[in-house]
């Protein structure tokens, strides 16, 4: 009964929001999360034991040094595009381990940086760094959708920032901490919440894979993971959970791998032509859905535009095509509701044609002639070969930078 209710609510919201290419998971949170109460007593006991073991296990050197070992992506390009000057104010919307923020502080004197992150671990790092720069760093804890309220409460008025950095996606700290449940290479609870346990009613990845029906799961994997074999994987998940609840990362990875022949386990290649696990896209899809990442990204871009002053600079880093598509369309002023089968260039030409036929600019707000941005770089920037060797995780990064008119 609960499963039927969940799937019905999911389908209505998913099909409605898929037209916007944005899914808001908040309205599903309480319903999906409540499914955890329906898990067997055996599963609950196992989770308790695992939690005790985790709390009793000393942290590894890698976890303790995760912030120090974190390598910021395209650091030189980010600093050059933001071009910090003495006395300016910036917003780092994804502080992470503070690599980009630290570089900006070293580049220009007497600048102020509002360091935002939804991850409590990153927020603590920002607080620690603010002790070294007491008058220059303001640590903020929250999501992109909460950034406007946080900035206003910190005394920042719209149209007053000189630069905004938005670094989408997951941080190395999150991937390197098995207890967070992001990595399929290290066993841990199937969590994937970037906010950690700040919102107990928000669903974990385990809640999603154990509650939603096969069709809903396949839609998530296909849309957010861009997984071609979404139906096959969703079927394997549903079949496996009927025997035992899915609660661990490597448990899910094994289930996905079991849906393919052994030869296909590492048949896929990344941009460096290295073998990647067949469950990689499944984990991506679940992570994006659980954290409502695409909707948050769009809200973050709108907030950046609102708080930047004319002449202020926006630098946006993305790590897969879904994120880059949203950033590209936003900067070009293309309607987010437009279908993906038309390329951005086609939509820009179409918008220009529409604008020349009509004098009312408000009727066609998405044309390039009405754009609110001037691009700093004509083409999208990607990491240099030396950067990829130093930081292979940043191999898929794309940087787009623009100045607000």
């Amino acid at each position: 009964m609960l499963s039927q209710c969940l799937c019905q609510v999911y389908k209505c919201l998913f099909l409605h929001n898929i037209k916007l290419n944005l899914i808001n998971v908040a309205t599903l949170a309480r319903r999906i999360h409540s499914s955890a109460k329906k898990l067997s007593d055996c599963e609950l006991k196992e989770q308790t034991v695992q939690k005790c073991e985790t709390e009793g296990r000393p942290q590894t050197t890698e976890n303790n040094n995760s912030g120090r070992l974190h390598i910021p992506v395209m650091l030189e390009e980010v600093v050059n595009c933001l071009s910090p000057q003495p006395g300016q104010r910036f917003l780092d919307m994804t502080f992470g381990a503070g690599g980009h923020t630290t570089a900006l502080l070293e580049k220009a004197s007497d600048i102020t940086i509002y360091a935002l992150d939804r991850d409590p671990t990153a927020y603590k790092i920002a607080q620690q760094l603010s002790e070294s720069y007491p008058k220059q760093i303001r640590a903020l804890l929250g999501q992109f959708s909460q950034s406007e309220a946080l900035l206003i409460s910190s005394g920042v008025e719209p149209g007053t920032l000189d630069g905004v950095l938005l670094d989408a996606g997951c941080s190395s700290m999150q991937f390197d901490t098995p207890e967070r449940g992001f990595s399929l290479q290290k066993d841990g609870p199937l969590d994937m919440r970037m906010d950690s346990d700040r919102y107990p009613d928000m669903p974990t990845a385990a809640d999603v894979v154990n509650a939603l029906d096969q069709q809903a799961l396949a839609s998530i994997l296909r849309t957010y993971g861009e997984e071609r074999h979404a139906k096959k994987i969703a079927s394997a998940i549903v079949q496996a959970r009927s025997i035992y609840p899915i609660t661990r990362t490597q448990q899910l990875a094994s289930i996905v791998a079991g849906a393919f022949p052994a030869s296909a386990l590492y048949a896929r290649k990344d941009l460096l032509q290295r073998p990647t696990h067949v469950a990689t896209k499944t984990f991506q899809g679940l992570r994006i859905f659980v954290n409502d990442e695409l909707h948050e990204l769009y809200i973050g871009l709108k907030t950046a535009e609102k708080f930047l002053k004319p002449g202020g600079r926006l630098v946006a880093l993305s790590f897969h095509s879904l994120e880059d598509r949203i950033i590209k369309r936003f900067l070009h002023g293309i309607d987010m509701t437009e279908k993906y089968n038309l390329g951005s260039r086609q939509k820009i030409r179409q918008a220009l044609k529409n604008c020349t036929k009509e004098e009312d600019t408000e009727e066609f707000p998405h044309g390039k002639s009405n754009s609110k941005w001037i691009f700093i770089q004509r083409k999208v920037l990607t990491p240099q070969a030396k950067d990829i060797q130093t930081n292979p995780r940043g191999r898929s990064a794309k940087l787009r930078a623009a100045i607000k008119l």
Side-chain angles (χ1 to χ4, degrees), residues 172-243:
S172 291
M173 294 186 300
Q174 292 167 335
F175 278 121
D176 291 337
T177 307
E179 293 77 16
R180 301 297 299 274
F182 288 96
S183 175
L184 58 85
Q185 303 293 344
K186 303 174 183 179
D187 190 42
L190 193 57
D191 194 324
M192 297 193 190
R193 293 173 300 173
M194 290 182 176
D195 302 280
S196 191
D197 55 358
R198 288 183 62 220
Y199 303 105
D201 287 337
M202 292 300 290
T204 65
D207 294 328
V208 174
V209 298
N210 285 293
L212 295 181
D213 65 13
Q214 182 174 328
Q215 181 181 354
L217 287 172
S219 297
I220 290 173
L221 302 185
R222 184 184 307 108
T223 303
Y224 299 129
E226 300 180 293
E227 174 57 69
R228 292 179 300 170
H229 303 287
K231 287 185 178 180
K232 179 190 295 187
I233 295 173
S235 176
I237 291 174
V238 171
Q239 183 178 358
R241 77 186 187 194
S242 66
I243 302 173

Side-chain angles (χ1 to χ4, degrees), residues 137-157:
I137 293 182
R138 305 287 186 271
L140 304 175
L141 177 62
Q143 304 169 359
F144 292 161
S145 56
Q146 300 167 332
S147 58
E148 180 175 349
L150 289 170
L151 287 169
I152 291 176
S153 65
S154 299
V156 182
E157 297 181 359

Side-chain angles (χ1 to χ4, degrees), residues 122-368:
Y123 175 66
K124 291 179 182 178
I125 297 175
Q127 287 181 313
Q128 293 172 358
L129 188 61
S130 67
E131 295 176 1
S132 302
Y133 300 90
K135 296 182 179 180
Q136 293 181 265
I137 293 182
R138 305 287 186 271
L140 304 175
L141 177 62
Q143 304 169 359
F144 292 161
S145 56
Q146 300 167 332
S147 58
E148 180 175 349
L150 289 170
L151 287 169
I152 291 176
S153 65
S154 299
V156 182
E157 297 181 359
T160 60
L161 293 179
D162 296 284
V164 174
L165 169 62
L166 196 159
D167 183 358
C170 240
S171 72
S172 291
M173 294 186 300
Q174 292 167 335
F175 278 121
D176 291 337
T177 307
E179 293 77 16
R180 301 297 299 274
F182 288 96
S183 175
L184 58 85
Q185 303 293 344
K186 303 174 183 179
D187 190 42
L190 193 57
D191 194 324
M192 297 193 190
R193 293 173 300 173
M194 290 182 176
D195 302 280
S196 191
D197 55 358
R198 288 183 62 220
Y199 303 105
D201 287 337
M202 292 300 290
T204 65
D207 294 328
V208 174
V209 298
N210 285 293
L212 295 181
D213 65 13
Q214 182 174 328
Q215 181 181 354
L217 287 172
S219 297
I220 290 173
L221 302 185
R222 184 184 307 108
T223 303
Y224 299 129
E226 300 180 293
E227 174 57 69
R228 292 179 300 170
H229 303 287
K231 287 185 178 180
K232 179 190 295 187
I233 295 173
S235 176
I237 291 174
V238 171
Q239 183 178 358
R241 77 186 187 194
S242 66
I243 302 173
Y244 199 79
I246 305 171
T247 61
R248 310 288 293 180
T249 54
Q250 291 196 341
Q251 180 187 4
L252 176 60
S254 297
I255 292 169
V256 176
F260 296 86
S263 60
L265 184 59
Y266 286 97
R268 297 177 178 179
K269 307 289 184 181
D270 64 14
L271 294 178
L272 301 179
Q273 294 303 306
R274 302 178 306 178
T276 58
H277 196 282
V278 72
T280 299
K281 290 187 176 182
T282 295
F283 273 64
Q284 173 187 305
L286 289 173
R287 190 202 78 217
I288 293 175
F289 178 76
V290 166
N291 294 288
D292 199 15
E293 291 182 32
L294 300 187
H295 180 256
E296 285 291 320
L297 172 59
Y298 180 60
I299 298 300
L301 290 168
K302 292 177 65 177
T303 302
E305 180 182 7
K306 182 174 183 178
F307 280 84
L308 278 172
K309 62 173 62 172
R313 293 170 175 245
L314 171 63
V315 174
L317 282 165
S318 62
F319 293 87
H320 55 76
S321 60
L322 298 176
E323 293 172 342
D324 183 58
R325 188 179 293 124
I326 291 175
I327 294 170
K328 185 176 181 179
R329 285 175 170 235
F330 180 83
L331 293 177
H332 279 290
I334 301 173
D335 191 350
M336 293 292 174
T337 62
E338 295 290 349
K339 294 182 179 181
Y340 286 161
N341 59 353
L342 285 181
S344 294
R345 292 181 181 178
Q346 292 174 286
K347 295 310 303 175
I348 292 171
R349 286 196 293 267
Q350 184 179 14
L352 281 170
K353 186 182 297 184
N354 289 337
C355 288
T356 57
K357 292 181 179 179
E358 298 290 339
E359 294 181 356
D360 186 3
T361 57
E362 293 183 357
E363 186 176 351
F364 298 98
H366 307 298
K368 188 178 179 182

